[in-house]
Amino acid sequence: MSAITGIYQYNQEPVVLHEGYQLMSGLEQFAADESRVWHEDSVFLGCHAQWITPESVGECLPYYDSNRRLAITADAIIDNREQLFQLLQVDRDRRTSITDSELILLAYDKWGEDAPGHLAGDFAFMIWDERERILFGARDFSGGRTLYYLRNKGRFAFCTTIMPLLSLPHATATLNEQWLAEFLAISGMIDTVDASSTIYKHIEQVPPSHSITITPDRVSLSRYNTFTNVKPLKLKSSEEYVEAFRDVFREAVAARVRTHRQVGAQLSGGLDSGAVVSFTAETLRNTDKKLHTFSYIPTKDFKDFTSRSMMADESPFIQATVRHVGGITAHYLDFEGKDSFSEVDDFLAAMEMPYKFFENSFWLKGMFEAASNEDAGVLLNGGRGNLSISWGSAIDYYAILLKRFRWIRLTRELHQYSYLAGGPRLRRIPEIARIAFPFIDRLFPVEAGYQLPTLINQEFANRTNIYDKLKEHGMDERGWLSSSSIYEDRKNHFEEVFHWNASNTLSTKLSLRYNVWKRDPTNDIRVIRYCLSVPESQYVSNGLDRALIRRATDKLLPDQIRLNQRIRGVQGADWVHRMLPNWHVFRLELQQLCSDERVMQYFNRDTLEKAMLKIRGDIRPDFVTDPDSKILMRSLIVYRFIKSLL
């Protein structure tokens, strides 16, 4: 709920107070309910507080516990408060008022450096242990809040954002070429495989699921959470799996509507956000709060070019959910006049780094702004849903049945799936067979699917040895995860922390700018552990893909949404259409990029020049999915950022 910062002079020299206040001044761009500092000889802690939860109102941060001789500054909302009350033996008369930062401090006092593993929620914190003379901190399992640091000249400085650290003496805004090489070489939405690095050479960050310990002798990182030890769950019936899911998901939702302000939620026409909204409305039903939903829709002059199985304007589905759920104040936002190109500079300033999700940038930011205008303290979404609550690809599961020679069940499932999703069942057999038996693709190759061209300059790639590094993390030279199974991809997602950084960097920095916290119940650590424990047969059943969440939202969502397997929403399908007034300027800037030798040392010249030829002609609506269009937008964003450093 805050931006935090601080300095520890681990060379035992007194902290330079001016430097601490300089860090604090770098946070003044963000709204704050209160700003405080605490310091002693070699330590300075600061907090630029935004009060979101009822317990945080009037909270004193940094906080010093004189009995335990511990000081804390924290950017945190803790979700398992009831569990911690029991484990930490918090008096009942204190439970409604004790702050989350005090709970973190009590957890550290009880469990020491194992404390982060006992916490659920979104958090980044630093604790000064006066007894042991160590500075200890941690970032939550998925990196819901950012925590950057700089170490030089016997000084360790940390901050929620990067720019204040670069204002310190002896700090330089030097481009980290290794980070950039990873960013350019990875074709997917992942920024880098080194989750501790940043775009700046001397600025590091605490990775998700990690704690950090600073002593006069060392700075060490330690991973405190993994999902490798999740035990399979065995219940008696499908109904029991649904009820158990509802219990854990309700708990996650209830924790995330904890605010003294209004509650907001992003709502599309799909299952994930629909599930979040329906459970949230149920939770708020007996309160005096109404749920505000914020939905992105294309501009009025946009003509949908997508196929009949896709929906660029999800308004009909969104309206159906709003009517069925009730208790909702719905906001439909077309963000007229906004587009991916005109927002680049502002988005770079907010992110403090290049980014890849340009198609959605203007409306992701716009959602926060709209929620702030309605005085929402939290903005819920279902961003992690595809890998947690709505997991379950029918075709991939049917490949498992085929591989195990479960002919009778496969036949029955294919018949039901074809009835619900449309199309003849036998048409899907070749696709299922290729997934079940990958050697078929080697014997009878098919045309490769969607791929982005190689963006990185080959000499730059060789100099940074980037492809060997990617292979260490299971990526091929195209920058994609090299597994042939979505089950391996899911496993990799939860084992490798680098998947988490990009989206949560965005949410932290937009939340600070607009004083609204993004909160995702589908990303609750308890929900994820439950979903990973559920048998695959619960996720695909009776012709339903994503079957667990479809059954769990029975009566909560309209069947039009809950059972829909024929139409898929496409958000951001109008990003090229929106850019048309700026397309000429877009091309001119790309020409400047191609002639700037300082920057072209990083880019693949052939890739850019071929892509430039394509966009010189008529601009078609389907350029939204064209690999060359996407590669050019990514290149321009990196170009703008690098120019700001030169």
Side-chain angles (χ1 to χ4, degrees):
M1 296 172 296
S2 311
I4 61 173
T5 192
I7 298 173
Y8 172 37
Q9 291 287 159
Y10 56 84
N11 59 6
Q12 303 305 304
E13 292 184 4
V15 68
V16 180
L17 291 180
H18 170 71
E19 294 181 2
Y21 285 105
Q22 192 166 327
L23 288 171
M24 289 294 290
S25 68
L27 299 174
E28 289 176 358
Q29 61 178 300
F30 307 117
D33 293 294
E34 191 171 58
S35 291
R36 289 176 175 267
V37 302
W38 176 93
H39 58 85
E40 66 148 38
D41 297 334
S42 58
V43 179
F44 178 99
L45 302 178
C47 183
H48 196 71
Q50 296 177 338
W51 296 335
I52 302 296
T53 65
E55 301 83 12
S56 69
V57 176
E59 180 178 17
C60 179
L61 274 175
Y63 170 72
Y64 178 68
D65 185 326
S66 56
N67 292 327
R68 296 176 175 84
R69 297 174 65 192
L70 300 172
I72 184 171
T73 188
D75 176 22
I77 295 181
I78 301 302
D79 293 327
N80 61 330
R81 285 170 62 89
E82 294 297 326
Q83 179 191 34
L84 291 174
F85 291 158
Q86 300 294 331
L87 295 173
L88 299 172
Q89 299 181 333
V90 177
D91 292 340
R92 290 193 173 276
D93 58 357
R94 288 201 65 206
R95 294 182 180 183
T96 57
S97 61
I98 190 171
T99 65
D100 290 340
S101 58
E102 288 179 273
L103 280 175
I104 295 171
L105 208 61
L106 291 175
Y108 176 79
D109 187 56
K110 181 178 179 64
W111 295 300
E113 296 185 16
D114 292 329
H118 294 270
L119 306 175
D122 300 330
F123 59 81
F125 65 83
M126 279 290 185
I127 293 173
W128 170 241
D129 188 333
E130 194 175 41
R131 300 163 299 187
E132 302 295 330
R133 309 298 295 178
I134 66 171
L135 186 66
F136 174 78
R139 193 173 169 202
D140 68 76
F141 86 95
S142 68
R145 308 301 287 177
T146 51
L147 189 57
Y148 302 101
Y149 63 92
L150 166 70
R151 43 181 169 168
N152 63 11
K153 305 293 182 181
R155 173 189 63 194
F156 177 92
F158 67 89
C159 194
T160 302
T161 60
I162 294 174
M163 288 302 133
L165 294 172
L166 292 174
S167 72
L168 292 175
H170 311 296
T172 57
T174 305
L175 179 67
N176 183 350
E177 291 192 341
Q178 187 65 42
W179 189 98
L180 181 61
E182 294 178 33
F183 185 90
L184 295 176
I186 297 172
S187 297
M189 296 304 292
I190 298 164
D191 288 339
T192 64
V193 293
D194 183 352
S196 64
S197 68
T198 76
I199 186 64
Y200 295 100
K201 189 172 184 178
H202 303 295
I203 304 293
E204 300 171 84
Q205 63 179 319
V206 178
S209 292
H210 281 69
S211 63
I212 186 168
T213 303
I214 305 96
T215 71
D217 304 317
R218 62 187 174 92
V219 175
S220 60
L221 292 166
S222 177
R223 183 164 184 175
Y224 66 83
N225 176 77
T226 67
F227 291 96
T228 56
N229 59 348
V230 176
K231 296 180 179 179
L233 181 65
K234 294 183 179 180
L235 299 178
K236 294 179 181 178
S237 66
S238 295
E239 289 74 20
E240 288 190 9
Y241 284 106
V242 168
E243 285 308 312
F245 169 79
R246 286 173 175 164
D247 288 344
V248 70
F249 196 58
R250 282 193 182 103
E251 186 178 13
V253 168
R256 282 162 177 76
V257 300
R258 223 176 87 231
T259 179
H260 65 95
R261 292 158 54 193
Q262 298 301 310
V263 176
Q266 295 176 344
L267 178 62
S268 69
L271 266 178
D272 294 330
S273 64
V276 170
V277 163
S278 63
F279 275 77
T280 301
E282 181 185 61
T283 302
L284 296 178
R285 196 143 285 149
N286 295 322
T287 71
D288 59 353
K289 293 187 178 181
K290 206 166 188 178
L291 175 61
H292 290 264
T293 60
F294 303 92
S295 303
Y296 162 75
I297 57 175
T299 54
K300 294 176 182 177
D301 60 344
F302 172 69
K303 295 180 180 179
D304 190 356
F305 64 89
T306 59
S307 68
R308 288 188 299 174
S309 63
M310 296 183 178
M311 180 183 284
D313 183 354
E314 298 181 72
S315 297
F317 280 11
I318 296 168
Q319 291 164 1
T321 296
V322 169
R323 286 193 301 268
H324 184 91
V325 172
I328 290 174
T329 300
H331 305 266
Y332 298 89
L333 309 168
D334 65 6
F335 301 109
E336 187 175 353
K338 302 290 186 181
D339 64 78
S340 302
F341 178 75
S342 62
E343 295 282 299
V344 169
D345 283 341
D346 190 52
F347 221 78
L348 283 172
M351 289 289 292
E352 305 181 297
M353 57 186 280
Y355 57 93
K356 294 181 176 179
F357 40 84
F358 61 86
E359 301 98 325
N360 303 328
S361 59
F362 63 92
W363 67 259
L364 287 172
K365 189 181 74 165
M367 291 280 187
F368 277 84
E369 185 175 6
S372 179
N373 291 338
E374 297 298 330
D375 192 37
V378 295
L379 180 63
L380 279 64
N381 79 349
R384 200 67 61 189
N386 285 341
L387 294 166
S388 60
I389 69 171
S390 65
W391 176 251
S393 163
I395 300 301
D396 289 272
Y397 181 64
Y398 297 159
I400 292 177
L401 296 182
L402 177 61
K403 199 170 183 178
R404 294 175 180 172
F405 302 104
R406 303 283 296 278
W407 304 109
I408 295 176
R409 182 169 181 184
L410 175 59
T411 302
R412 184 176 68 247
E413 283 283 346
L414 272 175
H415 175 75
Q416 293 171 307
Y417 182 74
S418 295
Y419 173 76
L420 295 171
R425 62 184 181 182
L426 295 181
R427 185 191 68 186
R428 297 184 169 92
I429 293 294
E431 181 184 0
I432 293 169
R434 286 180 181 276
I435 296 172
F437 307 109
F439 68 85
I440 294 176
D441 279 335
R442 294 192 292 272
L443 295 174
F444 306 100
V446 295
E447 184 178 347
Y450 173 90
Q451 290 183 14
L452 288 178
T454 302
L455 184 55
I456 189 170
N457 181 296
Q458 193 60 49
E459 291 182 6
F460 181 44
N462 293 339
R463 174 159 56 87
T464 54
N465 202 30
I466 187 59
Y467 293 126
D468 286 343
K469 187 169 185 179
L470 295 187
K471 287 177 183 177
E472 291 175 9
H473 294 273
M475 290 187 184
D476 59 27
E477 291 192 356
R478 300 170 302 157
W480 294 103
L481 290 170
S482 54
S483 73
S484 59
S485 162
I486 65 166
Y487 302 105
E488 285 298 314
D489 288 345
R490 188 192 195 200
K491 180 182 177 183
N492 179 283
H493 183 90
F494 288 109
E495 287 183 354
E496 293 273 18
V497 297
F498 59 73
H499 295 276
W500 308 91
N501 257 342
S503 61
N504 286 323
T505 298
L506 169 69
S507 63
T508 295
K509 293 176 180 179
L510 291 185
S511 74
L512 284 175
R513 174 183 279 198
Y514 296 106
N515 196 12
V516 179
W517 266 52
K518 189 207 84 170
R519 309 239 54 212
D520 183 358
T522 70
N523 190 47
D524 185 290
I525 192 169
R526 298 161 296 185
V527 170
I528 288 175
R529 288 193 181 279
Y530 176 80
C531 291
L532 291 177
S533 74
V534 172
E536 290 295 334
S537 59
Q538 290 297 315
Y539 287 112
V540 180
S541 178
N542 299 320
L544 285 176
D545 61 9
R546 307 164 74 183
L548 181 64
I549 191 61
R550 294 186 193 277
R551 300 198 312 270
T553 52
D554 186 22
K555 306 291 192 298
L556 293 176
L557 284 176
D559 286 352
Q560 177 186 1
I561 310 299
R562 187 177 69 88
L563 300 179
N564 171 42
Q565 292 183 216
R566 294 174 181 254
I567 301 175
R568 183 167 59 89
V570 183
Q571 294 177 323
D574 63 343
W575 75 265
V576 168
H577 171 77
R578 289 174 178 271
M579 276 180 56
L580 289 179
N582 291 314
W583 202 263
H584 177 64
V585 182
F586 174 54
R587 280 197 299 241
L588 286 177
E589 188 168 356
L590 287 168
Q591 289 171 4
Q592 294 171 6
L593 161 59
C594 291
S595 62
D596 191 333
E597 295 303 323
R598 300 172 302 172
V599 179
M600 284 305 296
Q601 64 176 306
Y602 303 120
F603 290 100
N604 186 311
R605 184 178 294 277
D606 288 343
T607 294
L608 292 186
E609 290 180 349
K610 288 178 182 177
M612 285 288 290
L613 287 174
K614 183 178 288 187
I615 68 164
R616 284 175 184 161
D618 293 334
I619 308 305
R620 302 191 312 271
D622 62 357
F623 272 29
V624 296
T625 58
D626 181 75
D628 291 312
S629 298
K630 288 177 175 286
I631 216 73
L632 290 174
M633 271 300 295
R634 284 193 184 184
S635 302
L636 182 138
I637 289 166
V638 173
Y639 177 49
R640 288 261 189 105
F641 185 87
I642 294 176
K643 278 204 308 182
S644 71
L645 298 183
L646 297 176

